[in-house]
Amino acid sequence: MKTWFLTIATIVVCSLSAQAQITIVNPTFVDAGARVTITPGAIMYIGGHAEIRAGRVDVQSLGRLIVEGHCSIWEGGLYLFGDGTGLIRGDLEIKFDGVCWRYKPGVLTIEGTIYNYGHLNNDGEINIGR
Amino acid sequence: MGIFCSIVFVGIDPSYRLVTVSAFTSNAEKGIGSVLLRRFAMRRLIVSAAILLSSILIHVTDTDYSFTVAMRAQSLINFGTGAVRNQGTIRFRSDTGKFMNDAPLDSISNNVIEFGGSDNLFTDVAGFTNFSTALGQDASWRVPGLIRYSRSASIVQNVQRRYYTHLEMADSSSKWIPDSVFVGGAYTIFLSGPRTYNGTFFYDGSAPQNIMQENALNGTVNRYRALTFLNGPKTVPFGMEVRMDDVFQNDSISPLFVEGNFYWGTRSILNAPLTIWVDGSQTTGSDVTELRANVLVQKGNFIVPDDADSVIIFPTFELRVYNDSNARFLMGDSTRLDVLGDFRNLYAPLTNVVFDTTSLVNYAGIQDPQIMQATAASNPYGHLRTANTVKNANGDVHLASSLSVNDTNVVMIPNTLSMTLGPATYTNNSEVIGAFRRALKNADTLSNYVYNNSETFARFFIIPEELTMDVRPQTRPNDYDSTTDVFRKITVTHTNNYKATIRAGYKASDIPPTWAPSTAERLLKMYNAYPAPNERALKLTPTVPPTYNRRPLSMSAGIAFVELTGIENQGPDNLRLDYGNDLLLRGSRDVLRAVASGRWSNPFTWDEAREPEPEDRVIIDGFTVHTGYIRANDNYAIAEAWPDSMAMQVTIGTQVNSALLFGYEGAFNTFSLVPNPSVGLTTQRIPTIIEQADVLDQTARNIDGGLIVYRGSTFTTPNLTLVPDAVVINGGTLAVGMP
């Protein structure tokens, strides 16, 4: 199964500092409680920012998640299993009740900064920066 | 704080390929970059967008797709509530990426954190590296897991000064390692580019740690600068070679085990035991090495290399070389070992230690006594020095160059100290007690070869192969007489013949309080004293008269001496000191015998080479002795010292030319034996002719006259005995009886 999201052109205004949480306005992708699963071979591409406000996003082995903007996890989590990969072009923010779990052996790349208030678990590889 | 705006264009093509274009503007935002996203083969798109605040031209072609996103930092920021559980690898790829932390340490676990940039750091969230929650800022905040500095590029990676658990240098980038990098676990180097050490590198784990090899021959690239070991045992593993450039030290709870090769740099301070085993090798540095803990050489080498500075074994600690031929201790050219503690070699043949002839071993401990390690004849000390307390040798001691004994004695009993021709010097009247052997090959006849103290030496006319003096102060010599003898045993042995001048020193403590009143230092003579069961002593008079040189205690700074020329190991009794006999110093007042014709006051007239004193008894037999004037036979002009008490007893013997003449020089014309009723002169000579006594005979001829008193001279003796037919010729005044 392939899952994708299509958004319309969006104007995003962000205000952030290097040492404060990121604020995403008008995210491209919002998970408000659903369980989103990216199955093997599928690509979930988010052209802007992503928020997981509840629920979870599972990237199964050999699945791919690409977020071109920032990613914020409020509750629930982002789980990458096996060889499932993730690429976040912007920052990753894990809120107090958020979880990001990178199982082995795959790679999660965050080209920006990880802001972690919650739980960041890594059994595989996490690359920070470009 | 910055503000940026973006327009995001998202499209989808029929094959579900995504097309996204974003244009950002920024008012002085930093870190705006371009990201080459993906190839887009479907169409050529050029977007020109003018945004309210500014504009950026974005090109999208059929081959390149340009995307821009704001990049302010590329770090991991873990806030106070955050937890990072890393059982894999977290990799920082930007040059300035940081792991910023405000959470408690137990909120973080780590397998591998890999720094791929040039200046990656651990900080707190505010950016501070110390006095905060920054990982690795001190031992209590030690970075868990492995930190790997790895970059496959020709850049320099600056390693952060931190407390690491495990640290790894990998890939081709150069590593710039600052002062105060602490590693509590494993330090590994895996195909790393050159590593430059700029300070002290610490291994500070409490669990056993292996020391990583760095073995460049000089400099600080791929060679540690300074090393400090803390908190637990460390090992230089077998096959590893560790070299360093500067100070080494460890703390008292960090024993060091050397199985490979470990080269210290400059100053080294060992505070916990060093064990060398498994054929390991420890080489000291170019500066002082302070051994403030034991060094145990079980199997391998402990090397003080050429021109290294002093190695000091501090009090209570020991350098112990075990009973194994492969446990070795080597001292190189111009090196020095100060033994304030102990140095022991347990390998019985003693051939496992090597001292360069220019090296110095200095036993200067204050333990009393301090043990001085024996050496093999084939592996002698170079220079040997002792100081402070008494030193007791635990076997034969051989040295190749020089001996310097300071402050107190070296006790060799029952062993032997052996050296060749080098100097032996002493301070504070110290001595070597026991056997002191010199191998005298290549010796000369001009040098004084000093033996057991500063005033005991031999100077050879005939040089033996070796000669040993076993000197034991306050020890009974053969044929000892407590009323006359020095209480010091001097035993001489040798190989091959010798003839020598021998000086024997003695101290006030060797003079027994039982000496008779007539015994005196100035009367000390040398005797050949035989051991029991037939103890006896034969006076040595190698020359006529004997050539004595004496310096009594009153003129000495602690060691007086008697010196006699012409002693040999063979020949007649008067010059022979038998092998193994004692050289006895006896101060008895023997009967003085005239050994030449000459003036009474001339020492060379007498067998003890001194003028008779009032306490002496004198025999004149076969020689003509004159008193009070000059004759041509010796032309001796010094007047008699005791003209009014010349001697206790004078005997003029029976041989021809036996005569005692009394003359005058002006008013110096009155002579007397000691005015005591028991004193007297006996003449036994029966002359063949009667000499005239009217005029002084000033010729050199011998006179066969018995007792002659010339006109103008006066001689008084309390008693006068003439054997039958003996003659007294009186031309002056002869008074018999008490004056």
Side-chain angles (χ1 to χ4, degrees):
Chain A
M1 173 179 173
K2 296 180 179 177
T3 303
W4 70 89
F5 291 85
L6 177 64
T7 65
I8 62 172
T10 306
I11 295 176
V12 180
V13 177
C14 295
S15 176
L16 57 86
S17 75
Q19 297 168 10
Q21 66 184 28
I22 63 173
T23 301
I24 298 175
V25 178
N26 295 327
T28 301
F29 167 80
V30 175
D31 181 353
R35 176 168 187 151
V36 177
T37 303
I38 303 170
T39 58
I43 299 172
M44 177 174 171
Y45 184 88
I46 301 170
H49 306 303
E51 284 189 5
I52 301 172
R53 293 179 179 169
R56 58 188 287 171
V57 173
D58 290 355
V59 181
Q60 294 186 338
S61 187
L62 301 178
R64 293 180 66 192
L65 170 66
I66 301 172
V67 179
E68 294 290 357
H70 306 306
C71 179
S72 180
I73 304 169
W74 291 74
E75 288 186 16
L78 170 62
Y79 297 86
L80 300 100
F81 296 94
D83 284 319
T85 61
L87 171 61
I88 299 170
R89 299 275 189 202
D91 300 331
L92 168 64
E93 182 183 40
I94 305 165
K95 298 288 191 181
F96 183 78
D97 292 322
V99 173
C100 175
W101 200 309
R102 168 69 268 182
Y103 292 93
K104 66 181 177 182
V107 178
L108 168 61
T109 298
I110 298 97
E111 294 189 343
T113 289
I114 299 175
Y115 299 87
N116 180 39
Y117 298 86
H119 294 273
L120 174 63
N121 297 316
N122 174 46
D123 299 333
E125 291 187 31
I126 294 177
N127 294 331
I128 301 171
R130 291 183 293 141
Chain B
M1 179 69 71
I3 298 174
F4 66 84
C5 300
S6 73
I7 296 176
V8 179
F9 301 93
V10 178
I12 186 170
D13 66 28
S15 61
Y16 306 118
R17 289 190 174 179
L18 298 174
V19 179
T20 302
V21 177
S22 295
F24 288 78
T25 62
S26 172
N27 55 343
E29 279 287 342
K30 297 178 180 177
I32 291 179
S34 295
V35 178
L36 179 63
L37 281 180
R38 57 190 300 182
R39 301 177 69 83
F40 183 67
M42 297 297 295
R43 66 184 70 177
R44 177 188 297 265
L45 177 62
I46 300 175
V47 177
S48 298
I51 308 300
L52 179 62
L53 299 176
S54 64
S55 64
I56 294 177
L57 183 64
I58 302 173
H59 300 275
V60 178
T61 71
D62 58 350
T63 54
D64 294 335
Y65 191 83
S66 182
F67 183 86
T68 304
V69 68
M71 291 297 174
R72 293 176 47 106
Q74 298 169 8
S75 300
L76 168 55
I77 304 174
N78 190 50
F79 293 91
T81 59
V84 177
R85 304 297 177 194
N86 175 35
Q87 298 186 61
T89 299
I90 296 176
R91 184 176 292 112
F92 291 81
R93 301 200 295 197
S94 78
D95 282 343
T96 57
K98 300 179 180 67
F99 191 130
M100 309 169 80
N101 178 63
D102 267 1
L105 186 63
D106 60 9
S107 295
I108 298 169
S109 61
N110 175 48
N111 180 40
V112 177
I113 293 173
E114 186 173 299
F115 284 149
S118 61
D119 294 287
N120 300 122
L121 294 174
F122 290 100
T123 70
D124 66 4
V125 172
F128 295 109
T129 57
N130 291 312
F131 308 110
S132 63
T133 51
L135 294 180
Q137 61 179 315
D138 57 36
S140 65
W141 280 91
R142 188 182 298 276
V143 186
L146 171 66
I147 307 305
R148 176 186 295 137
Y149 285 82
S150 175
R151 179 79 174 268
S152 298
S154 300
I155 68 163
V156 175
Q157 286 193 279
N158 291 305
V159 176
Q160 188 183 12
R161 68 173 65 192
R162 290 286 93 173
Y163 285 78
Y164 299 96
T165 300
H166 306 299
L167 178 63
E168 179 178 307
M169 306 298 171
D171 287 335
S172 59
S173 59
S174 300
K175 313 298 190 298
W176 188 263
I177 301 170
D179 183 37
S180 298
V181 169
F182 291 78
V183 177
Y187 176 47
T188 54
I189 299 169
F190 183 73
L191 300 177
S192 171
R195 302 153 304 280
T196 302
Y197 294 86
N198 295 281
T200 302
F201 193 95
F202 293 80
Y203 285 86
D204 72 334
S206 56
Q209 286 183 280
N210 287 340
I211 309 305
M212 184 63 204
Q213 172 168 289
E214 286 286 25
N215 64 349
L217 295 179
N218 51 55
T220 57
V221 178
N222 299 343
R223 188 167 184 254
Y224 294 105
R225 179 181 289 275
L227 273 172
T228 296
F229 298 163
L230 304 173
N231 300 333
K234 319 295 178 205
T235 297
V236 175
F238 179 79
M240 287 282 188
E241 183 175 283
V242 177
R243 293 177 182 265
M244 53 184 294
D245 196 58
D246 207 331
V247 174
F248 166 81
Q249 61 182 321
N250 60 357
D251 66 11
S252 61
I253 57 173
S254 297
L256 172 60
F257 300 90
V258 175
E259 302 169 357
N261 296 319
F262 193 7
Y263 295 82
W264 287 337
T266 53
R267 194 175 185 87
S268 305
I269 306 163
L270 186 78
N271 290 302
L274 162 62
T275 301
I276 300 168
W277 56 9
V278 201
D279 276 330
S281 179
Q282 175 65 65
T283 302
T284 64
S286 60
D287 204 335
V288 174
T289 295
E290 299 180 15
L291 303 180
R292 297 179 179 272
N294 293 334
V295 174
L296 310 174
V297 187
Q298 297 189 5
K299 186 180 182 184
N301 300 328
F302 186 52
I303 301 171
V304 186
D306 290 351
D307 301 315
D309 207 318
S310 300
V311 174
I312 305 170
I313 305 170
F314 275 77
T316 76
F317 300 112
E318 180 183 14
L319 167 56
R320 179 186 301 171
V321 186
Y322 277 71
N323 183 18
D324 188 325
S325 63
N326 293 314
R328 291 178 290 263
F329 174 55
L330 303 99
M331 288 189 66
D333 186 357
S334 303
T335 57
R336 174 176 175 139
L337 175 67
D338 286 324
V339 186
L340 309 182
D342 288 303
F343 167 46
R344 293 283 194 286
N345 184 5
L346 306 184
Y347 181 57
L350 302 175
T351 52
N352 55 335
V353 295
V354 176
F355 304 91
D356 188 271
T357 55
T358 62
S359 67
L360 166 64
V361 176
N362 176 32
Y363 287 91
I366 57 172
Q367 60 273 48
D368 198 359
Q370 183 182 25
I371 300 301
M372 188 166 65
Q373 175 58 47
T375 56
S378 60
N379 296 52
Y381 291 117
H383 301 282
L384 178 63
R385 182 180 186 274
T386 67
N388 295 327
T389 55
V390 170
K391 313 305 173 193
N392 278 2
N394 62 1
D396 291 340
V397 172
H398 300 264
L399 57 128
S401 297
S402 72
L403 172 69
S404 174
V405 180
N406 300 275
D407 305 327
T408 54
N409 296 337
V410 170
V411 179
M412 289 304 304
I413 298 170
N415 305 296
T416 300
L417 186 150
S418 295
M419 64 184 296
T420 54
L421 307 180
T425 59
Y426 299 85
T427 67
N428 198 34
N429 301 320
S430 55
E431 297 187 78
V432 171
I433 298 174
F436 188 132
R437 167 183 170 272
R438 277 187 184 266
L440 295 161
K441 183 180 180 182
N442 298 325
D444 61 56
T445 57
L446 301 175
S447 301
N448 295 332
Y449 294 102
V450 175
Y451 278 78
N452 297 64
N453 55 56
S454 59
E455 300 300 344
T456 297
F457 67 70
R459 183 174 60 248
F460 296 99
F461 303 98
I462 299 172
I463 301 170
E465 184 176 321
E466 62 181 59
L467 186 137
T468 300
M469 290 195 198
D470 187 336
V471 175
R472 305 185 184 195
Q474 298 182 68
T475 302
R476 182 190 181 280
N478 297 339
D479 197 43
Y480 176 66
D481 183 340
S482 63
T483 64
T484 57
D485 297 345
V486 173
F487 195 49
R488 169 174 288 245
K489 186 175 179 66
I490 304 171
T491 308
V492 179
T493 56
H494 59 92
T495 301
N496 292 349
N497 296 330
Y498 73 88
K499 180 179 181 182
T501 295
I502 293 179
R503 175 181 289 189
Y506 61 93
K507 294 182 176 179
S509 53
D510 299 323
I511 306 298
T514 52
W515 265 17
S518 60
T519 302
E521 279 186 83
R522 64 181 181 278
L523 304 178
L524 284 173
K525 298 169 287 290
M526 290 183 175
Y527 287 73
N528 174 22
Y530 289 75
N534 186 20
E535 284 195 306
R536 63 194 187 283
L538 302 180
K539 186 161 64 174
L540 295 174
T541 54
T543 58
V544 180
T547 307
Y548 271 109
N549 182 18
R550 301 181 181 91
R551 190 182 69 195
L553 286 164
S554 60
M555 298 176 64
S556 302
I559 302 181
F561 65 80
V562 179
E563 177 186 318
L564 179 60
T565 296
I567 299 175
E568 299 186 48
N569 65 295
Q570 60 183 359
D573 287 351
N574 65 302
L575 54 78
R576 190 186 71 252
L577 177 59
D578 290 278
Y579 180 96
N581 277 9
D582 288 345
L583 184 64
L584 177 69
L585 306 183
R586 176 163 286 171
S588 62
R589 189 170 294 278
D590 296 345
V591 174
L592 272 185
R593 302 183 69 93
V595 293
S597 293
R599 189 166 177 171
W600 178 278
S601 57
N602 187 349
F604 296 102
T605 303
W606 308 102
D607 63 351
E608 292 189 9
R610 62 180 177 86
E611 179 183 357
E613 299 172 358
E615 297 85 354
D616 282 314
R617 290 176 294 178
V618 169
I619 293 177
I620 301 167
D621 192 16
F623 301 98
T624 301
V625 177
H626 61 281
T627 305
Y629 73 109
I630 299 171
R631 294 191 74 215
N633 57 358
D634 63 355
N635 290 313
Y636 195 77
I638 297 176
E640 283 63 28
W642 299 276
D644 56 352
S645 51
M646 296 171 62
M648 290 289 289
Q649 179 71 46
V650 176
T651 301
I652 301 171
T654 59
Q655 295 189 63
V656 67
N657 296 331
S658 297
L660 175 59
L661 318 177
F662 288 91
Y664 58 90
E665 287 181 316
F668 185 66
N669 59 2
T670 303
F671 307 94
S672 173
L673 299 186
V674 174
N676 184 295
S678 63
V679 173
L681 183 147
T682 300
T683 179
Q684 301 169 335
R685 178 58 190 162
I686 304 172
T688 54
I689 60 172
I690 301 300
E691 290 284 336
Q692 295 299 314
D694 293 337
V695 180
L696 291 176
D697 186 314
Q698 296 178 308
T699 69
R701 71 182 181 96
N702 287 327
I703 297 174
D704 189 19
L707 174 62
I708 300 176
V709 181
Y710 285 102
R711 182 188 300 274
S713 178
T714 299
F715 171 60
T716 301
T717 175
N719 296 286
L720 177 63
T721 302
L722 304 176
V723 301
D725 299 326
V727 172
V728 173
I729 303 171
N730 181 28
T733 301
L734 173 62
V736 177
M738 293 294 293

